[in-house]
Amino acid sequence: MRIVIAEDNALLREGLALLLTSVGHEVCATVEDGDGLLPTLLDHRPDIAVLDVRLPPTYRDEGLRGAVAAREQLPDLPVLVLSQYVEHVRAAQLLSHGASGVGYLLKDRVGRVEEFLQALERVAGGGVAMDPEVISQLMVRRTRNDPLDALSPREREVLSLMAEGHGNGAIGGLLFIAETSVNKHIGNIFAKLGLPATDGGHRRVQAVLTYLNSLDTRAD
Amino acid sequence: MRRAVRSLRYLLAVGGTAVLALFGLYALLAVFALSLVGPGLALVPLALARLRRVADAHRLRAGRWLGCEVPSSYRRVEGGVLARAQTMLADRATWTDLLWLLAHAVFGTVGAALVLGLCTGAASWLTVPLWWQLAPEPPQFMVWEIDSWGAALAACLAGAAYGALAGWLLPWWAQLHALLTRALLGPRKRRTSLAERVVELTITRAEALEAHAAELRRIERDLHDGAQAGLVSVALRLAVMKQVLHSHPEKLPELIDQARDLTDQAVKSLRGAVRSIYPPVLVDHGLAEAARSLVAACPVPTSLDVEQDAGGSRAPVAVEAAAYFVMSEALTNVAKHSGAAAAQVRLRIAGNGIRICVRDDGRGGAGAGPGPEPGSGISGIRRRVAAFDGVTDLQSPPGGPTELRVELPCGS
C-alpha cells in the first residue's frame, strides 16, 4: 500500500515509517504540520493516510480537519487517525463524514504492532477501526435503565468487537467461537437493542456506533 | 553623549504631550464640573480611561529611560458607566494620575523649553564664524557686538558653553521627569484597604491556579512528546526486529542500537520531567545546596552568596520550588541572552521569606520589548512569584548591568 503519514513527533514519525516499510508498504510522503497535509494528500493520492489529530501550528485538530477536507475531494481516501487520548467528539466528527474507510486509534496502539497493522488493513479496505478504549468507554454502564444491561456478557463482548470494526469471522477468531454462533449473538443483540437489521460491513458498524454514541450523549 | 541625545529625544517627546496635558487638565476639570450636574458623569470613565492611556505611555517611556519597569496599579474596572466611574473615582491611583498630569504639564513644558532654548542657542552661536560677515547688521551676544573675527570666535565659545550646559542639564532634567513619573505613577507601598487586599489575593490566587494548570499542561506535554513517544517507537523497533529476524538478520544490530538509544532518550526525558516538578536536590539537600548546584552548572562564571538564618525552619515546599525555579530561569537567561562575563547570585533564606538577587554584567535590556511566549523567562518568573504574593523587580538598562530581585514571602 502507498501511505502518507502526518505526525509532528519526529520519533513516532520515523518509527511508523520504518515499521510500515519493513512490512512491505510504501511510505510515499511524511508531513509534519497541518498546512502541508492537504496538498500532499492531493499530490500523492495514497491508498491510506495515517494522521495525528493534533498537528502544528495550533495543536488542536489540524490533522482531523485535514482528513475531512481531503475526503471532500477524494471521497474514497481511507483515513486512520491517531490520537493522544480518547476524545469522543473527535471520533464522532470523523464518523459523521461516513463510516467507510475510517479509523480512530490511540497512539499507544501503534506499539501493539499486530493490532495496528490489522486496523490499517481494515481501514484501507474500506472498513472501520475504532480503538478498543473508545468502545469500552462507550460501553460503560451509564444509567439505571441502560439498554445494554439486557445483553449477556458474551453479547457485550461481541458488540464491542463489532463496534471496533471487526468482521464476523474475526470476532469468532478473537473469542474462540464459531462464526455461526457469532451470527446468532449478533441477531440477538440487534433484536434486544431494537436496531434495524442491516447487512454486514461498515453500515452495520455505523449503526452500532451511532447507537452507542446516542446512549452516551443522552447520559451527559 | 549618547545619554544627552537620548535625553533630548525623551524631553522632546515628553514636552509634546506636556503641552497637550495643559489642555487635558482643563478638559478634565470641565468634565468634573459637568458631572456635578449629572449627564457629565457618563464622560468621567471615558476621560479617565484616556488619562490612563496617556499615563501608561509615560510609564513605558520613563521605564525605558530609567531601565526599569514602572507598573500601573489600577483597580479592576468593570460594569456599567456609573459603576466604572465610581470605581475609578474611588481609586487612589486616579488622583495620583491627576497630580502627575499637573506635574507633567509643568516639568515637561519646561523641559521642552530648555531643549529648544539651549539647542538653538548652541546652534546659532556655534555657527557665528560662518555667517557673521553676511549679516546685514552685526549680531549681538549679550552686550557685545560681533564685529571682528575675535568676537566671532568668542561667540563660538559661548555656543560651546551652551552645548555643554545642554549636555549636562538635559539628562538631569529627563531623569527628574522620569523619577517624578515613577514616583507618582508607579505602585506605592501603601497601606491597602482590606477590600483591595482581598481583590489582590483573589487575583493572585487565580494566577496561582492558572500557573498550576499551565505547569500540569507542560508536564503532560513533556511526558507525551518525550517518554511516551520514545517508548512507542521502541515498541515499533521491536516489531520490526521480529519482522527481519529471519529475512534480514543483518539489519538487527542497527535496530537494536536504535532501540537502545531511544530507551536512553525516553529515560532521560522522564528524568527531566520528574525533576522539573520538584527537583530532587531540593528534597534531599535544601535550597542552599540546590542553589550551589545551579550556580556550578551555569556556564557563565557565577559567585554565590548564601545567608541563612541559624536554626531557621525550611520554607514551604512550594515556595522553595518557586525560588529554585526563579534562580534556574534567571541563570538560564544569563547564560543564553546576557553575554555576561560574570554573574552573582545572592540568596537570603529567612523565617519570613526568601530573597533572591541575580546580577550579571551583560548587555542588559532584559524584559524589554515583547517577550517570547508567555510562561518563559522573565514573564514565567513574574507569574510564579506573583502566585506566592511575592515581588519581582528587574533592573536592566540597555548596556547593562542586569539585576533581578525577587522576594518570596513564606506564610507566617
Side-chain angles (χ1 to χ4, degrees), chain B residues 197-268:
Chain B
R197 186 80 190 123
V198 168
V199 168
E200 206 176 302
L201 284 176
T202 311
I203 293 170
T204 51
R205 184 170 166 277
E207 278 177 354
L209 288 176
E210 175 54 36
H212 182 65
E215 186 73 356
L216 286 180
R217 277 198 298 276
R218 180 189 65 72
I219 295 167
E220 185 236 77
R221 184 157 291 179
D222 277 3
L223 288 176
H224 273 149
D225 291 351
Q228 190 192 24
L231 290 176
V232 171
S233 20
V234 170
L236 288 175
R237 295 289 189 296
L238 288 171
V240 175
M241 284 181 217
K242 197 175 168 191
Q243 297 280 342
V244 301
L245 190 58
H246 297 297
S247 51
H248 301 283
E250 75 281 357
K251 289 186 178 165
L252 280 176
E254 195 198 333
L255 285 166
I256 292 174
D257 282 348
Q258 286 177 358
R260 205 178 46 197
D261 287 350
L262 285 166
T263 318
D264 283 350
Q265 276 178 36
V267 171
K268 215 174 181 178

Coordinates of all heavy atoms in Angstrom, one line a residue, chain B residues 197-268:
Chain B
R197 N -7.0 44.4 49.4 CA -6.2 43.2 49.6 C -6.9 41.9 49.2 O -6.3 41.1 48.6 CB -5.9 43.2 51.2 CG -4.9 42.1 51.6 CD -3.5 42.6 51.3 NE -2.7 41.4 51.6 CZ -1.8 40.9 50.7 NH1 -1.7 41.5 49.5 NH2 -1.1 39.9 50.9
V198 N -8.2 41.9 49.5 CA -9.0 40.7 49.1 C -9.0 40.6 47.6 O -8.7 39.5 47.0 CB -10.4 40.8 49.6 CG1 -11.3 39.7 49.0 CG2 -10.4 40.6 51.1
V199 N -9.2 41.7 46.9 CA -9.2 41.7 45.4 C -7.9 41.2 44.9 O -7.8 40.3 44.0 CB -9.5 43.1 44.9 CG1 -9.2 43.2 43.4 CG2 -10.9 43.5 45.2
E200 N -6.8 41.7 45.5 CA -5.4 41.3 45.1 C -5.2 39.8 45.3 O -4.7 39.1 44.4 CB -4.5 42.1 45.9 CG -3.1 42.4 45.3 CD -2.3 43.3 46.2 OE1 -2.7 44.4 46.5 OE2 -1.2 42.8 46.6
L201 N -5.6 39.4 46.5 CA -5.4 37.9 46.8 C -6.3 37.1 45.9 O -5.8 36.0 45.4 CB -5.8 37.7 48.3 CG -4.8 38.1 49.3 CD1 -5.3 37.9 50.7 CD2 -3.5 37.4 49.1
T202 N -7.5 37.5 45.5 CA -8.3 36.8 44.6 C -7.6 36.6 43.3 O -7.6 35.5 42.7 CB -9.6 37.4 44.4 OG1 -10.2 37.8 45.7 CG2 -10.6 36.5 43.7
I203 N -7.0 37.7 42.8 CA -6.3 37.7 41.5 C -5.1 36.8 41.6 O -4.9 35.9 40.7 CB -5.9 39.1 41.1 CG1 -7.2 40.0 40.8 CG2 -5.1 39.1 39.9 CD1 -6.9 41.4 40.6
T204 N -4.3 37.0 42.7 CA -3.1 36.1 42.7 C -3.4 34.7 42.9 O -2.8 33.8 42.4 CB -2.1 36.5 43.8 OG1 -2.9 36.6 45.0 CG2 -1.5 37.9 43.6
R205 N -4.5 34.4 43.6 CA -5.0 33.0 43.7 C -5.4 32.4 42.4 O -5.0 31.3 42.0 CB -6.1 32.9 44.7 CG -6.6 31.5 45.0 CD -7.6 31.5 46.1 NE -8.2 30.2 46.1 CZ -9.2 29.9 45.4 NH1 -9.7 30.7 44.5 NH2 -9.7 28.6 45.5
A206 N -6.1 33.2 41.6 CA -6.5 32.8 40.3 C -5.2 32.6 39.4 O -5.1 31.6 38.7 CB -7.4 33.8 39.6
E207 N -4.2 33.5 39.6 CA -3.0 33.3 38.9 C -2.3 32.1 39.3 O -1.7 31.4 38.5 CB -2.1 34.5 39.0 CG -2.5 35.7 38.1 CD -1.7 36.9 38.4 OE1 -0.9 36.9 39.3 OE2 -1.8 37.9 37.6
A208 N -2.3 31.8 40.6 CA -1.6 30.6 41.1 C -2.3 29.3 40.5 O -1.6 28.4 40.0 CB -1.7 30.5 42.6
L209 N -3.6 29.3 40.4 CA -4.3 28.2 39.9 C -3.9 28.1 38.4 O -3.7 27.0 37.9 CB -5.8 28.3 40.0 CG -6.3 28.1 41.5 CD1 -7.8 28.4 41.6 CD2 -5.9 26.7 41.9
E210 N -3.9 29.2 37.7 CA -3.6 29.2 36.3 C -2.1 28.7 36.1 O -1.9 27.9 35.2 CB -3.8 30.6 35.7 CG -3.4 30.8 34.3 CD -4.0 29.8 33.4 OE1 -5.2 29.5 33.6 OE2 -3.3 29.4 32.4
A211 N -1.2 29.2 37.0 CA 0.2 28.8 36.9 C 0.2 27.2 37.1 O 1.0 26.5 36.4 CB 1.0 29.5 37.9
H212 N -0.5 26.8 38.0 CA -0.6 25.4 38.3 C -1.1 24.6 37.1 O -0.5 23.6 36.7 CB -1.5 25.2 39.5 CG -1.6 23.8 40.0 ND1 -0.6 23.1 40.5 CD2 -2.7 22.9 39.9 CE1 -1.0 21.9 40.8 NE2 -2.3 21.7 40.5
A213 N -2.2 25.1 36.5 CA -2.7 24.4 35.3 C -1.7 24.4 34.2 O -1.5 23.4 33.5 CB -4.0 25.1 34.9
A214 N -1.0 25.5 34.0 CA 0.0 25.6 32.9 C 1.1 24.6 33.1 O 1.6 24.0 32.2 CB 0.5 27.1 32.8
E215 N 1.5 24.5 34.4 CA 2.5 23.6 34.8 C 2.1 22.2 34.5 O 2.9 21.4 33.9 CB 2.8 23.8 36.3 CG 3.9 23.0 36.9 CD 5.3 23.6 36.4 OE1 5.3 24.5 35.7 OE2 6.3 23.0 36.9
L216 N 0.9 21.8 34.8 CA 0.4 20.5 34.5 C 0.4 20.2 33.0 O 0.7 19.1 32.6 CB -1.0 20.3 35.1 CG -1.1 20.1 36.6 CD1 -2.5 20.0 37.1 CD2 -0.3 19.0 37.1
R217 N -0.1 21.2 32.3 CA -0.1 21.1 30.8 C 1.3 20.8 30.3 O 1.5 20.0 29.4 CB -0.7 22.3 30.1 CG -2.2 22.3 30.1 CD -2.7 23.3 29.1 NE -2.3 24.7 29.4 CZ -3.0 25.5 30.2 NH1 -4.0 25.1 30.8 NH2 -2.5 26.7 30.5
R218 N 2.2 21.6 30.8 CA 3.6 21.5 30.4 C 4.1 20.0 30.7 O 4.7 19.4 29.8 CB 4.5 22.5 31.1 CG 6.0 22.4 30.7 CD 6.8 23.3 31.6 NE 6.8 22.9 33.0 CZ 7.5 21.8 33.4 NH1 8.1 21.1 32.6 NH2 7.5 21.5 34.7
I219 N 3.8 19.6 31.9 CA 4.3 18.2 32.3 C 3.7 17.2 31.4 O 4.3 16.3 30.9 CB 4.0 18.0 33.8 CG1 4.7 18.9 34.7 CG2 4.2 16.5 34.1 CD1 4.2 18.9 36.1
E220 N 2.4 17.4 31.1 CA 1.7 16.4 30.3 C 2.3 16.3 28.9 O 2.6 15.3 28.4 CB 0.2 16.8 30.2 CG -0.7 15.8 29.4 CD -1.4 16.5 28.3 OE1 -0.7 16.8 27.3 OE2 -2.6 16.8 28.4
R221 N 2.6 17.5 28.4 CA 3.2 17.5 27.0 C 4.6 16.9 27.0 O 4.9 16.2 26.1 CB 3.2 19.0 26.5 CG 3.7 19.1 25.1 CD 3.2 20.3 24.4 NE 1.8 20.3 24.2 CZ 1.2 21.3 23.6 NH1 1.8 22.4 23.2 NH2 -0.1 21.2 23.4
D222 N 5.3 17.3 28.1 CA 6.7 16.7 28.2 C 6.6 15.2 28.2 O 7.4 14.5 27.5 CB 7.3 17.1 29.5 CG 8.0 18.5 29.4 OD1 7.8 19.1 28.3 OD2 8.6 19.0 30.3
L223 N 5.7 14.7 29.0 CA 5.6 13.2 29.1 C 5.1 12.6 27.7 O 5.7 11.6 27.3 CB 4.6 12.8 30.2 CG 5.1 13.1 31.6 CD1 4.0 12.7 32.6 CD2 6.4 12.2 31.9
H224 N 4.2 13.2 27.1 CA 3.7 12.6 25.8 C 4.7 12.7 24.8 O 5.0 11.7 24.1 CB 2.5 13.4 25.3 CG 1.2 12.9 25.9 ND1 0.1 13.7 26.2 CD2 0.8 11.7 26.3 CE1 -0.9 13.0 26.7 NE2 -0.5 11.7 26.8
D225 N 5.3 13.9 24.6 CA 6.3 14.0 23.5 C 7.6 13.3 23.7 O 8.3 13.0 22.8 CB 6.5 15.5 23.2 CG 5.3 16.2 22.7 OD1 4.4 15.5 22.4 OD2 5.3 17.4 22.6
G226 N 8.0 13.2 25.0 CA 9.2 12.6 25.3 C 9.1 11.1 25.6 O 9.3 10.3 24.7
A227 N 8.8 10.8 26.8 CA 8.8 9.4 27.2 C 7.9 8.5 26.5 O 8.3 7.5 26.0 CB 8.5 9.3 28.7
Q228 N 6.6 9.0 26.3 CA 5.7 8.1 25.6 C 6.0 7.8 24.2 O 6.1 6.7 23.7 CB 4.3 8.7 25.7 CG 3.2 7.7 25.3 CD 1.9 8.4 25.1 OE1 1.8 9.6 24.8 NE2 0.8 7.7 25.2
A229 N 6.3 8.9 23.5 CA 6.7 8.7 22.1 C 7.9 7.8 21.9 O 8.0 7.0 21.1 CB 7.0 10.1 21.4
G230 N 8.9 8.0 22.9 CA 10.1 7.2 22.8 C 9.8 5.7 23.0 O 10.3 4.9 22.3
L231 N 8.9 5.4 24.0 CA 8.6 4.0 24.3 C 7.8 3.4 23.1 O 8.1 2.3 22.8 CB 7.8 3.9 25.6 CG 8.6 4.3 26.8 CD1 7.7 4.2 28.1 CD2 9.7 3.2 27.0
V232 N 6.9 4.2 22.6 CA 6.2 3.6 21.4 C 7.1 3.3 20.3 O 7.0 2.3 19.6 CB 5.0 4.6 21.0 CG1 4.4 4.2 19.6 CG2 4.0 4.7 22.0
S233 N 8.1 4.2 20.1 CA 9.0 3.9 18.9 C 9.9 2.8 19.3 O 10.4 2.1 18.4 CB 9.8 5.1 18.4 OG 9.8 6.1 19.3
V234 N 10.2 2.5 20.6 CA 11.0 1.3 20.9 C 10.1 0.1 20.5 O 10.6 -0.9 19.9 CB 11.3 1.3 22.4 CG1 11.9 -0.1 22.8 CG2 12.3 2.4 22.7
A235 N 8.8 0.1 20.9 CA 8.0 -1.0 20.6 C 7.9 -1.2 19.1 O 7.9 -2.4 18.6 CB 6.5 -0.7 21.1
L236 N 7.9 -0.1 18.3 CA 7.9 -0.2 16.8 C 9.2 -0.9 16.4 O 9.1 -1.8 15.5 CB 7.8 1.1 16.2 CG 6.4 1.8 16.3 CD1 6.5 3.2 15.7 CD2 5.4 1.0 15.6
R237 N 10.3 -0.5 16.9 CA 11.6 -1.1 16.6 C 11.6 -2.6 16.9 O 12.0 -3.4 16.1 CB 12.8 -0.5 17.3 CG 13.0 1.0 17.0 CD 13.6 1.1 15.7 NE 14.1 2.4 15.3 CZ 13.4 3.5 15.2 NH1 12.1 3.6 15.6 NH2 13.9 4.7 14.8
L238 N 11.0 -3.0 18.0 CA 11.0 -4.4 18.4 C 10.1 -5.2 17.4 O 10.5 -6.3 17.0 CB 10.4 -4.6 19.8 CG 11.3 -4.1 20.9 CD1 10.5 -4.1 22.3 CD2 12.5 -5.0 21.0
A239 N 9.0 -4.6 17.0 CA 8.2 -5.3 16.0 C 8.9 -5.5 14.7 O 8.9 -6.5 14.0 CB 6.9 -4.5 15.7
V240 N 9.7 -4.4 14.3 CA 10.4 -4.5 13.0 C 11.5 -5.6 13.2 O 11.7 -6.4 12.3 CB 11.0 -3.1 12.7 CG1 11.9 -3.3 11.5 CG2 10.0 -2.1 12.5
M241 N 12.1 -5.7 14.4 CA 13.1 -6.7 14.6 C 12.6 -8.1 14.4 O 13.2 -8.9 13.8 CB 13.7 -6.6 16.0 CG 14.6 -5.5 16.2 SD 15.2 -5.5 17.9 CE 15.3 -3.7 18.3
K242 N 11.3 -8.3 14.9 CA 10.7 -9.6 14.7 C 10.5 -9.8 13.2 O 10.7 -11.0 12.8 CB 9.4 -9.6 15.5 CG 8.8 -11.0 15.7 CD 7.6 -10.9 16.5 CE 6.9 -12.2 16.5 NZ 5.6 -12.2 17.1
Q243 N 10.1 -8.8 12.5 CA 9.9 -9.0 11.0 C 11.2 -9.4 10.3 O 11.1 -10.3 9.5 CB 9.5 -7.6 10.4 CG 8.1 -7.1 10.9 CD 7.0 -7.8 10.2 OE1 7.2 -8.4 9.2 NE2 5.8 -7.7 10.9
V244 N 12.3 -8.8 10.7 CA 13.5 -9.0 9.9 C 14.4 -10.1 10.5 O 15.4 -10.5 9.9 CB 14.4 -7.7 9.8 CG1 13.6 -6.6 9.2 CG2 14.9 -7.3 11.2
L245 N 13.9 -10.7 11.6 CA 14.7 -11.7 12.3 C 15.2 -12.8 11.4 O 16.4 -13.2 11.4 CB 13.9 -12.3 13.5 CG 14.6 -13.2 14.5 CD1 15.8 -12.4 15.1 CD2 13.7 -13.6 15.6
H246 N 14.3 -13.3 10.6 CA 14.7 -14.4 9.7 C 15.0 -13.9 8.3 O 15.9 -14.4 7.7 CB 13.6 -15.4 9.6 CG 13.3 -16.0 11.0 ND1 14.3 -16.8 11.6 CD2 12.3 -16.0 11.8 CE1 13.8 -17.1 12.8 NE2 12.6 -16.6 13.0
S247 N 14.3 -12.8 7.8 CA 14.5 -12.4 6.4 C 15.8 -11.6 6.3 O 16.6 -11.9 5.3 CB 13.3 -11.6 5.9 OG 13.0 -10.6 6.9
H248 N 16.1 -10.6 7.1 CA 17.3 -9.8 7.0 C 18.0 -9.7 8.3 O 18.0 -8.6 8.9 CB 16.9 -8.4 6.5 CG 16.2 -8.4 5.2 ND1 16.9 -8.6 4.0 CD2 14.9 -8.3 4.9 CE1 16.0 -8.6 3.0 NE2 14.8 -8.4 3.5
P249 N 18.5 -10.7 8.9 CA 19.1 -10.6 10.2 C 20.3 -9.6 10.3 O 20.6 -9.1 11.3 CB 19.6 -12.1 10.5 CG 19.6 -12.8 9.2 CD 18.6 -12.1 8.3
E250 N 20.8 -9.2 9.1 CA 21.9 -8.3 9.2 C 21.5 -6.9 9.6 O 22.3 -6.0 10.0 CB 22.6 -8.2 7.8 CG 21.9 -7.5 6.7 CD 20.8 -8.3 6.1 OE1 20.6 -9.5 6.5 OE2 20.0 -7.8 5.2
K251 N 20.1 -6.6 9.5 CA 19.6 -5.3 10.0 C 19.5 -5.2 11.5 O 19.2 -4.1 12.0 CB 18.3 -5.1 9.3 CG 18.3 -4.8 7.8 CD 17.0 -4.4 7.3 CE 17.0 -4.1 5.8 NZ 15.7 -4.0 5.2
L252 N 19.6 -6.4 12.1 CA 19.2 -6.4 13.6 C 20.1 -5.5 14.4 O 19.6 -4.7 15.2 CB 19.3 -7.8 14.1 CG 18.1 -8.6 13.8 CD1 18.3 -10.0 14.3 CD2 16.8 -8.0 14.5
P253 N 21.5 -5.5 14.3 CA 22.3 -4.7 15.2 C 21.9 -3.2 15.1 O 21.8 -2.6 16.2 CB 23.7 -4.9 14.6 CG 23.7 -6.2 13.9 CD 22.3 -6.3 13.3
E254 N 21.7 -2.7 13.9 CA 21.3 -1.3 13.9 C 20.0 -1.0 14.6 O 19.9 0.0 15.3 CB 21.2 -0.9 12.4 CG 21.2 0.6 12.2 CD 20.7 1.0 10.8 OE1 20.8 0.2 9.9 OE2 20.2 2.1 10.7
L255 N 19.1 -1.9 14.4 CA 17.8 -1.7 15.0 C 17.9 -1.7 16.6 O 17.3 -1.0 17.3 CB 16.8 -2.7 14.6 CG 16.2 -2.5 13.2 CD1 15.5 -3.7 12.7 CD2 15.3 -1.3 13.2
I256 N 18.8 -2.7 17.0 CA 18.9 -2.8 18.5 C 19.6 -1.6 19.0 O 19.2 -1.0 20.1 CB 19.8 -4.1 18.8 CG1 19.0 -5.3 18.4 CG2 20.2 -4.1 20.2 CD1 19.8 -6.6 18.6
D257 N 20.6 -1.0 18.3 CA 21.2 0.2 18.7 C 20.2 1.3 18.8 O 20.2 2.1 19.8 CB 22.3 0.6 17.8 CG 23.6 -0.2 18.0 OD1 23.6 -0.9 19.0 OD2 24.5 -0.2 17.1
Q258 N 19.4 1.4 17.8 CA 18.4 2.5 17.8 C 17.5 2.4 19.0 O 17.2 3.3 19.6 CB 17.5 2.4 16.5 CG 18.3 2.9 15.2 CD 17.4 2.8 14.0 OE1 16.3 2.3 14.1 NE2 18.0 3.2 12.9
A259 N 17.0 1.1 19.2 CA 16.1 0.9 20.3 C 16.7 1.3 21.6 O 16.1 1.9 22.5 CB 15.6 -0.6 20.3
R260 N 18.0 0.9 21.8 CA 18.7 1.3 23.0 C 18.8 2.8 23.2 O 18.6 3.4 24.2 CB 20.1 0.6 23.0 CG 20.6 0.4 24.4 CD 21.9 -0.2 24.4 NE 22.8 0.4 23.5 CZ 23.9 -0.2 23.0 NH1 24.3 -1.4 23.4 NH2 24.7 0.4 22.1
D261 N 19.2 3.5 22.1 CA 19.3 5.0 22.1 C 17.9 5.6 22.5 O 17.8 6.5 23.3 CB 19.7 5.5 20.8 CG 21.2 5.2 20.5 OD1 21.8 4.8 21.5 OD2 21.6 5.4 19.4
L262 N 16.9 5.0 21.9 CA 15.5 5.6 22.1 C 15.2 5.4 23.6 O 14.6 6.2 24.2 CB 14.5 4.9 21.2 CG 14.5 5.4 19.8 CD1 13.7 4.4 18.9 CD2 13.9 6.8 19.7
T263 N 15.5 4.2 24.2 CA 15.3 3.9 25.6 C 16.0 4.9 26.4 O 15.4 5.5 27.4 CB 15.7 2.5 26.0 OG1 15.3 1.6 24.9 CG2 15.0 2.1 27.2
D264 N 17.3 5.2 26.1 CA 18.0 6.2 26.9 C 17.4 7.5 26.9 O 17.2 8.2 27.9 CB 19.4 6.3 26.3 CG 20.3 5.1 26.7 OD1 19.9 4.4 27.6 OD2 21.4 5.0 26.1
Q265 N 17.0 7.9 25.6 CA 16.3 9.2 25.5 C 15.1 9.3 26.3 O 14.8 10.3 27.0 CB 16.0 9.5 24.0 CG 17.1 10.0 23.2 CD 16.7 10.2 21.8 OE1 15.5 10.5 21.5 NE2 17.6 9.9 20.8
A266 N 14.3 8.2 26.3 CA 13.0 8.2 27.0 C 13.3 8.3 28.5 O 12.6 9.1 29.2 CB 12.2 6.9 26.7
V267 N 14.3 7.6 29.0 CA 14.6 7.7 30.4 C 15.0 9.1 30.8 O 14.6 9.6 31.8 CB 15.7 6.6 30.7 CG1 16.2 6.9 32.2 CG2 15.2 5.2 30.6
K268 N 15.8 9.6 29.9 CA 16.4 11.0 30.2 C 15.2 12.0 30.2 O 15.2 12.8 31.1 CB 17.3 11.4 29.0 CG 18.5 12.2 29.4 CD 19.3 12.3 28.2 CE 20.6 13.1 28.3 NZ 21.3 13.1 27.1

